């Protein structure tokens, strides 16, 4: 007999060893796993914030302010506001440790109707349009070197953007670990290049290249609404500070890692904001930056759709989990399909304006929910507790950002956006509130066939 077969197992005769072996053989529950650590959480925030916005927004911010001085003031104010919003979300995330971003906070603060309207708007418009904007930016910068001296054809840019969306969606469907390893790699690459940008900027300033800072307020022409639009574009560049709240249930030790990741992640992005004019020296960084941001957007969008499906605010198949890969693949695929549809519009700035209008409605309502729950949900544990003046300021600024552009230059698009948000009630009342039986008869066979095709199952509850 082979000598190796005679060697006793280290667990032979050990009850605890046999139990360990049995535990290892048992399959994991069909649920999202806690695989995201502190480093990956930081990379998700940094990698999403340092994305496409900084390469799209500066021109629009400058146009809204008219001069370098007020432009820099807007950038600084956007950074302060993003930090205040992130601190509010750190309290909310540790107080209500559920995935789905603003969704569970609005649910606990104001009830299911407002939470549904948020999920309806965000899943159908905000998240896929954000994914589309970032993918278009990535495609534009990736194709530019092949068309020196001219703008790449739109058909090329849009095809590359669609390919980017497909690749990222596939990565996220295959493996959670693969998705956040991609995120970590691209974040590390872009931070390395930022060091080069910062050093280059310091050298140029030391050499006397300060002409843009002389008389910085000359020629400034602003209005009540123009400043609001400038803030929209500046805050778009900072957007991403709330991304970790979408995956709280997958975060290891969320009470510690969520606030830490936010506190560490946001300051790492300031150098990128201030020194954007030098980014042309590293075009590869732009592609890295946008691809990483698109990956982060896809990762979090799938979690919101998954949670809304689990709560009954989306079709049930959206809450199903892959039996082999433990990813919310139906939700991810749905977001990818919508994102490809959203790459068809040509004007990115228009998308940003209407995206920001709707987004800041919900940011303001979420911070208002934090204030409300200070009085209505006193029993909830608050490992992180911010001074109440911070959410109050965020709510006030949110009201300004929502109302200022409408008052200054009312446009039909804002009305269409508002009607779309409220229009979600047309589906909520019959399908969710009353739960008409005919809808279940239609969806049951469709869900069964999709479940077999995608090899997904309903999520199991894990303690």
């Amino acid at each position: 007999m082979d000598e190796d077969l005679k060697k006793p197992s280290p667990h032979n005769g050990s009850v605890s060893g046999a139990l360990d072996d049995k535990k290892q053989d048992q399959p994991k529950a069909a649920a999202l796993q806690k695989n995201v650590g502190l480093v990956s959480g930081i990379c998700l925030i940094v990698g999403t914030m340092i994305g496409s916005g900084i390469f799209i927004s500066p021109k629009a911010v400058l146009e809204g302010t008219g001069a370098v001085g007020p432009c820099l003031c807007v950038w600084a104010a956007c950074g302060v506001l993003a930090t205040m919003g992130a601190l509010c979300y750190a309290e909310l995330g540790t107080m209500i440790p559920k995935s789905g971003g603003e969704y569970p906070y609005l649910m606990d603060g104001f009830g299911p109707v407002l939470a549904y309207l948020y999920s309806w708007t965000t899943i159908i418009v905000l998240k896929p349009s954000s994914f589309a904007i970032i993918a278009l930016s990535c495609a534009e910068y990736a194709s530019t070197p092949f068309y020196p001296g001219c703008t790449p054809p739109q058909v090329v840019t849009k095809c590359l953007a669609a390919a980017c969306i497909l690749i990222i969606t596939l990565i996220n469907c295959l493996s959670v670990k693969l998705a956040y390893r991609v995120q970590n790699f691209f974040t590390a690459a872009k931070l390395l290049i930022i060091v080069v940008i910062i050093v280059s900027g310091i050298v140029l300033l030391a050499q006397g290249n300060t002409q843009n800072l002389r008389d910085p307020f000359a020629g400034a022409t602003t209005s009540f609404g123009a400043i609001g639009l400038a803030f929209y574009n500046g805050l778009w560049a900072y957007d991403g500070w709330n991304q970790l709240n979408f995956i709280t249930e997958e975060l290891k030790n969320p009470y510690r890692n969520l606030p830490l990741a936010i506190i560490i992640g946001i300051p790492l992005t300031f150098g990128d904001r201030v020194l954007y004019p030098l980014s042309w020296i590293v075009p590869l960084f732009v592609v890295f930056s946008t691809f990483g941001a698109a990956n982060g957007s896809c990762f979090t969008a799938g979690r919101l759709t998954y949670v809304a499906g689990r709560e009954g605010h989306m079709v049930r198949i959206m809450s199903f989990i892959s039996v082999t890969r433990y990813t919310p693949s139906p939700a991810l695929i749905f977001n990818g399909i919508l994102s490809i549809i959203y790459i068809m519009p040509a004007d990115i700035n228009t998308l940003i304006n209407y995206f920001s209008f709707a987004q800041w409605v919900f940011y303001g309502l979420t911070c208002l929910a934090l204030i409300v729950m200070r009085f209505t949900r006193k029993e909830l544990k608050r490992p992180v507790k911010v001074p109440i003046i911070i959410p109050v300021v965020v709510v006030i600024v949110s009201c300004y950002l929502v109302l200022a552009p409408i008052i200054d230059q009312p446009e039909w698009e804002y009305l269409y956006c508002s009607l779309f948000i409220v229009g979600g009630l047309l589906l909520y009342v019959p399908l969710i509130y009353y739960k008409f039986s005919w809808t279940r008869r239609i969806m049951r066979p469709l869900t069964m066939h999709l479940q077999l095709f995608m090899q997904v199952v309903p999520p199991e509850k894990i303690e």
Side-chain angles (χ1 to χ4, degrees):
M1 185 181 291
D2 190 358
E3 289 296 316
D4 288 336
L5 297 178
K6 296 180 181 179
K7 293 178 181 178
S9 166
H11 297 316
N12 282 354
S14 168
V15 174
S16 62
L19 290 174
D20 287 342
D21 287 343
K22 185 177 180 181
K23 187 176 180 181
Q24 289 174 3
D25 292 338
Q26 290 176 343
K28 296 178 182 177
L32 299 181
Q33 308 295 313
K34 288 185 177 291
N35 290 325
V36 182
L38 177 60
V39 173
S40 296
I42 295 171
C43 288
L44 180 63
I45 293 174
V46 176
T48 308
M49 289 183 70
I50 306 178
S52 66
I54 191 59
F55 306 106
I56 301 171
S57 300
K59 179 182 176 182
V61 175
L62 190 57
E63 287 175 349
T65 54
V68 173
C71 177
L72 292 176
C73 291
V74 167
W75 279 112
C78 288
V80 172
L81 183 60
T83 302
M84 294 175 73
L87 291 173
C88 294
Y89 276 59
E91 176 175 334
L92 286 164
T94 53
M95 181 175 69
I96 304 172
K98 297 179 182 178
S99 295
E102 290 85 351
Y103 180 84
Y105 315 143
L106 292 172
M107 178 77 80
D108 280 38
F110 299 118
V113 174
L114 199 55
Y116 165 78
L117 291 178
Y118 165 77
S119 66
W120 156 258
T121 308
T122 306
I123 291 169
I124 302 299
V125 177
L126 301 187
K127 277 294 185 182
S129 66
S130 173
F131 193 6
I133 291 168
I134 301 169
L136 281 168
S137 304
C138 181
E140 187 173 336
Y141 282 95
S143 59
T144 296
F146 299 97
Y147 296 89
C150 64
T151 304
Q154 279 200 3
V155 65
V156 173
T157 303
K158 292 181 186 296
C159 287
L160 280 175
C164 177
I165 289 170
L166 289 172
I167 291 169
I168 290 172
T169 302
L170 178 62
I171 289 171
N172 280 267
C173 287
L174 287 176
S175 168
V176 172
K177 289 185 178 180
L178 178 61
Y180 70 68
R181 282 171 183 166
V182 167
Q183 191 70 26
N184 294 355
F185 171 78
F186 283 102
T187 300
K190 68 181 72 175
L191 288 178
L192 179 63
I193 299 300
I194 285 178
V195 173
V196 175
I197 294 174
I198 292 174
V199 172
S200 301
I202 293 172
V203 170
L204 289 172
L205 288 173
Q207 290 174 345
N209 293 287
T210 59
Q211 57 271 21
N212 289 331
L213 300 178
R214 296 169 189 165
D215 199 8
F217 289 89
T221 55
T222 58
S223 66
F224 183 73
I227 290 291
L229 289 175
F231 264 93
Y232 275 177
N233 285 276
L235 289 165
W236 166 252
Y238 279 101
D239 199 47
W241 43 267
N242 63 331
Q243 296 301 292
L244 209 57
N245 294 73
F246 283 89
I247 61 163
T248 306
E249 293 173 27
E250 296 172 78
L251 190 63
K252 299 174 183 176
N253 193 2
Y255 298 109
R256 169 184 176 270
N257 289 340
L258 189 144
L260 266 181
I262 290 173
I263 291 167
I264 295 170
I266 290 181
L268 287 177
T269 67
F270 278 96
D272 180 51
R273 301 292 176 260
V274 176
L275 296 168
Y276 68 86
L278 299 180
S279 60
W280 61 269
I281 63 174
V282 278
L284 183 61
F285 160 66
V286 183
V287 178
F288 278 6
S289 184
T290 50
F291 191 89
N295 183 69
S297 177
C298 177
F299 192 89
T300 56
R303 273 60 188 176
L304 171 60
T305 310
Y306 160 80
V307 171
R310 188 177 64 186
E311 296 295 329
H313 285 173
M314 289 290 289
V315 292
R316 189 162 170 257
I317 188 70
M318 295 300 174
S319 69
F320 284 18
I321 298 290
S322 169
V323 294
T324 56
R325 303 187 182 279
Y326 307 103
T327 61
S329 50
L332 291 164
I333 292 169
F334 181 72
N335 179 64
I337 292 170
L338 288 180
S339 300
I340 290 175
I341 293 172
Y342 278 106
I343 66 176
M344 295 176 185
D347 189 353
I348 293 179
N349 280 328
T350 301
L351 274 175
I352 291 172
N353 289 341
Y354 302 128
F355 169 89
S356 299
F357 163 77
Q359 188 67 74
W360 277 93
V361 169
F362 293 113
Y363 283 161
L365 286 171
T366 302
C367 290
L368 182 61
L370 174 59
I371 298 171
V372 169
M373 284 189 285
R374 286 284 181 92
F375 302 97
T376 61
R377 302 295 301 274
K378 293 181 180 180
E379 77 282 2
L380 293 175
K381 294 181 180 179
R382 291 171 169 84
V384 175
K385 190 173 183 179
V386 300
I388 198 166
I389 188 64
I390 292 179
V392 169
V393 170
V394 175
V395 170
I396 292 171
V397 175
S398 299
C399 291
Y400 166 75
L401 290 173
V402 171
L403 296 176
I406 300 174
I407 294 172
D408 188 61
Q409 289 183 333
E411 296 180 8
W412 285 107
E413 285 79 359
Y414 294 116
L415 177 62
Y416 299 151
C417 187
S418 301
L419 289 175
F420 178 84
I421 295 173
V422 178
L425 293 174
L426 296 175
L427 294 176
Y428 179 83
V429 173
L431 302 183
I432 298 170
Y433 187 78
Y434 286 109
K435 297 181 180 178
F436 289 161
S437 60
W438 61 267
T439 60
R440 291 195 293 273
R441 287 198 299 269
I442 294 172
M443 287 305 301
R444 190 176 291 114
L446 181 60
T447 299
M448 182 184 69
H449 285 92
L450 287 173
Q451 184 178 357
L452 292 171
F453 177 71
M454 291 190 284
Q455 295 186 334
V456 293
V457 294
E460 297 178 27
K461 291 184 179 181
I462 54 176
E463 298 298 332

